[in-house]
Amino acid sequence: MIATAAGSVRIKLILTALATTFIALVVTTVSMLVYDLRSFQQGWVDDLTTQAELIATASAPALSFNDPRVARQNLELLRVRPQIEAGAIYAANGALFASYVHTPAEAPALPPKPGALGYAIEGGHMVVTHPIVEEGERIGTVYLSASYRLLDRVQSYALILIGVTLGSLLLAALVAHRLQQTITRPLLAMTDVARAVMQRRDYSLRVGERASGEIGTLIDAFNDMLAEIARRANALQDANRTLEHEMTVARAPSVRCCWPTAARTNSWPRWRTSCAIRWRPSAPASTSCASMPATRWLASAPAPSWNAS
Amino acid sequence: MALAMMLFAFSCLAVGSQQGVTTPVLERSVKAAFLYKFLGYMEFPADPGPSLVVGVLGADEVAAELAQITTGRNVGNRSISVRKLGEGDALTGLNLLFVGGDAALPEAVQRAAEKNGTVVVSERDNGLQNGSVINFRLVDDRVRFEVSLPAAERCNVRLSSRLLSVAYYVQKGGQ
């Protein structure tokens, strides 16, 4: 049960790390996607407007001096930008002056008259209408139509982001697996010792694992607790044994006793010479008469020269 | 202002619809519009003052048209005044001089005009050879123009490369 608890701690730790990583990644991903799509659109608008402005500036003389050939040549320069599918220059009266299509087969139809100035997104195309101004007068209009594949962009971007998210999660799982060991290893060692203590009642066992922080404190406290329990258990055992012995002695007073030797009689109080163990009932059980060689009963012998006074 | 816009729209209409058949009337108005627009592509060395003076010699219709177009309009921040000239009139103080096809410009007068920094625009087949800076041509029933850079240099006038980009023919220096 403890083992499964520790195991679940490991799994919980990894899951926590993964969940945190995932949420952080999702928030980052979504905000990046939104930002990218916004800047993608703005970038396209700026780009097309710049192109339109360049063409407008270059084509102003062509319009002024009625040279559609030069205007067409200017529009032909758009060939280097295949995304721009069609372009046109309209005169001030709205008549088509010059036009260009990248691939005639799939080009959208040019409007007969230029629309409102600015940009518009219609059916996968971005259309920019830009004025041609000279000497403060509008002498014509530039029209550009480019393929604007926002959905493709979203798809490819989302694919990349999903890939990155999965990769990051895998990496996070690996890192979390390694890092959680610093927490679970001491914890597992402690549960092992706890289990052994419960099974064998061996309070001399100690957790050998070292750790810092709360887990270190926990291990130290656990070891101290084991030591305290061991000490108390021993004391209790001793007390029990002594009590047992006392009871035995009380029941059979004729039991062999320790007699003071000649040397001892000099240092021991007179009343103590009767029996060392009787005199000191709390003596440890290991105190046997063997370590105090028995002598003859000297109760009636004259008192030793020792005198308290 | 509304009048100016209307005139402008008319002139643009004239330019825009100049395809195909070129009637003499339309040709006049197109040339007048071109003359006005040439001014925007020229850089005069000496400060020409608050207004640019365009002289029209021997082409009264063009002069009238040009006067109509330039009314209330500026080039840069200079107003434009149109001067109708007859043969023998003094050609001083002009920035641009249009010589109508019928009018003859004596060579001495042309030299003097060059020295004064007057840009001469003609409409003759050999206009550039005769020392004009700009010469109108009719190509495929369209009014086009050719430019002589050496002549512009003699007049001390700088022509914008944007103007040259739409010229039918540019005579370079060293010829």
Side-chain angles (χ1 to χ4, degrees):
Chain A
M1 198 191 84
I2 294 168
T4 51
S8 81
V9 165
R10 177 188 292 163
I11 289 166
K12 273 178 196 160
L13 279 173
I14 294 178
L15 281 182
T16 308
L18 285 187
T20 314
T21 314
F22 183 71
I23 287 169
L25 278 171
V26 164
V27 170
T28 315
T29 301
V30 168
S31 49
M32 269 177 77
L33 194 64
V34 169
Y35 172 76
D36 180 78
L37 292 183
R38 282 178 66 93
S39 60
F40 177 67
Q41 175 170 333
Q42 196 53 49
W44 261 109
V45 171
D46 291 349
D47 191 38
L48 279 186
T49 308
T50 307
Q51 302 276 357
E53 175 66 37
L54 285 175
I55 287 175
T57 308
S59 304
L63 264 176
S64 292
F65 298 108
N66 188 34
D67 195 343
R69 189 182 52 85
V70 171
R72 215 174 303 122
Q73 279 171 357
N74 290 336
L75 285 174
E76 287 281 321
L77 294 177
L78 292 173
R79 203 161 285 286
V80 297
R81 293 292 306 273
Q83 298 96 327
I84 300 177
E85 293 168 330
I89 293 173
Y90 294 89
N93 60 356
L96 187 64
F97 184 71
S99 66
Y100 153 84
V101 284
H102 186 256
T103 36
E106 49 193 68
L110 293 168
K113 273 185 184 295
L117 296 182
Y119 74 94
I121 297 163
E122 36 196 52
H125 298 280
M126 182 179 274
V127 170
V128 164
T129 310
H130 197 78
I132 303 175
V133 176
E134 197 167 58
E135 297 286 347
E137 284 172 7
R138 186 172 161 188
I139 59 169
T141 312
V142 173
Y143 165 93
L144 292 182
S145 171
S147 72
Y148 181 65
R149 307 222 172 277
L150 190 68
L151 212 65
D152 288 1
R153 174 84 176 181
V154 172
Q155 269 175 7
S156 55
Y157 210 84
L159 269 179
I160 291 171
L161 288 177
I162 286 172
V164 168
T165 304
L166 288 180
S168 305
L169 282 180
L170 197 70
L171 215 66
L174 283 176
V175 171
H177 180 72
R178 284 200 73 83
L179 290 184
Q180 55 87 26
Q181 286 179 353
T182 59
I183 296 172
T184 52
R185 208 188 317 107
L187 221 52
L188 282 173
M190 211 158 79
T191 50
D192 283 348
V193 170
R195 194 166 50 235
V197 167
M198 280 166 74
Q199 281 168 357
R200 287 188 265 149
R201 305 273 161 205
D202 182 358
Y203 296 109
S204 63
L205 289 172
R206 296 291 180 270
V207 181
E209 201 69 45
R210 294 282 89 198
S212 55
E214 287 92 338
I215 293 182
T217 315
L218 194 64
I219 288 175
D220 290 344
F222 185 72
N223 282 344
D224 287 353
M225 219 159 66
L226 278 180
E228 181 69 18
I229 290 170
R231 201 178 59 73
R232 291 202 178 177
N234 283 341
L236 191 66
Q237 216 168 8
D238 284 352
N240 281 347
R241 230 174 257 167
T242 311
L243 200 62
E244 237 169 71
H245 188 79
E246 289 280 312
M247 284 171 75
T248 319
V249 170
R251 233 179 278 129
S254 61
V255 80
R256 202 161 58 104
C257 235
C258 310
W259 295 104
T261 57
R264 278 177 193 152
T265 48
N266 286 334
S267 56
W268 287 11
R270 179 188 171 81
W271 48 271
R272 215 204 119 181
T273 56
S274 57
C275 179
I277 290 174
R278 283 178 72 99
W279 168 69
R280 196 158 63 118
S282 64
S286 54
T287 313
S288 68
C289 287
S291 60
M292 304 179 199
T295 54
R296 267 188 319 107
W297 180 254
L298 290 175
S300 57
S305 59
W306 178 85
N307 196 328
S309 57
Chain B
M1 196 60 207
L3 182 71
M5 286 308 287
M6 208 176 72
L7 286 170
F8 165 67
F10 173 72
S11 70
C12 288
L13 197 75
V15 172
S17 62
Q18 192 226 339
Q19 263 143 349
V21 187
T22 307
T23 63
V25 176
L26 196 55
E27 191 188 320
R28 297 279 103 182
S29 62
V30 166
K31 281 178 181 172
F34 276 26
L35 281 176
Y36 157 65
K37 282 174 177 166
F38 284 151
L39 291 173
Y41 294 93
M42 287 176 181
E43 244 180 78
F44 296 96
D47 186 21
S51 83
L52 293 169
V53 184
V54 181
V56 179
L57 180 65
D60 290 353
E61 288 169 29
V62 173
E65 191 79 42
L66 187 59
Q68 214 174 31
I69 291 171
T70 54
T71 309
R73 288 207 186 159
N74 290 344
V75 170
N77 41 19
R78 296 192 182 98
S79 62
I80 301 155
S81 64
V82 180
R83 204 183 288 173
K84 217 181 281 183
L85 299 169
E87 288 200 28
D89 285 354
L91 301 179
T92 49
L94 299 177
N95 297 107
L96 192 71
L97 171 64
F98 176 63
V99 184
D102 309 330
L105 193 65
E107 203 174 324
V109 177
Q110 183 145 1
R111 291 270 172 272
E114 270 179 11
K115 220 167 260 171
N116 290 337
T118 304
V119 177
V120 177
V121 180
S122 60
E123 49 174 359
R124 275 175 291 178
D125 282 350
N126 53 353
L128 291 192
Q129 280 74 29
N130 289 350
S132 303
V133 178
I134 299 173
N135 186 44
F136 283 123
R137 297 280 299 270
L138 268 182
V139 182
D140 297 338
D141 282 347
R142 280 167 181 272
V143 177
R144 306 300 305 278
F145 62 91
E146 50 192 8
V147 179
S148 165
L149 290 182
E153 210 168 297
R154 284 200 298 276
C155 295
N156 221 358
V157 166
R158 195 175 295 163
L159 300 178
S160 164
S161 62
R162 300 174 66 210
L163 176 70
L164 304 184
S165 72
V166 289
Y168 176 67
Y169 167 71
V170 179
Q171 189 181 32
K172 302 267 166 57
Q175 284 185 8

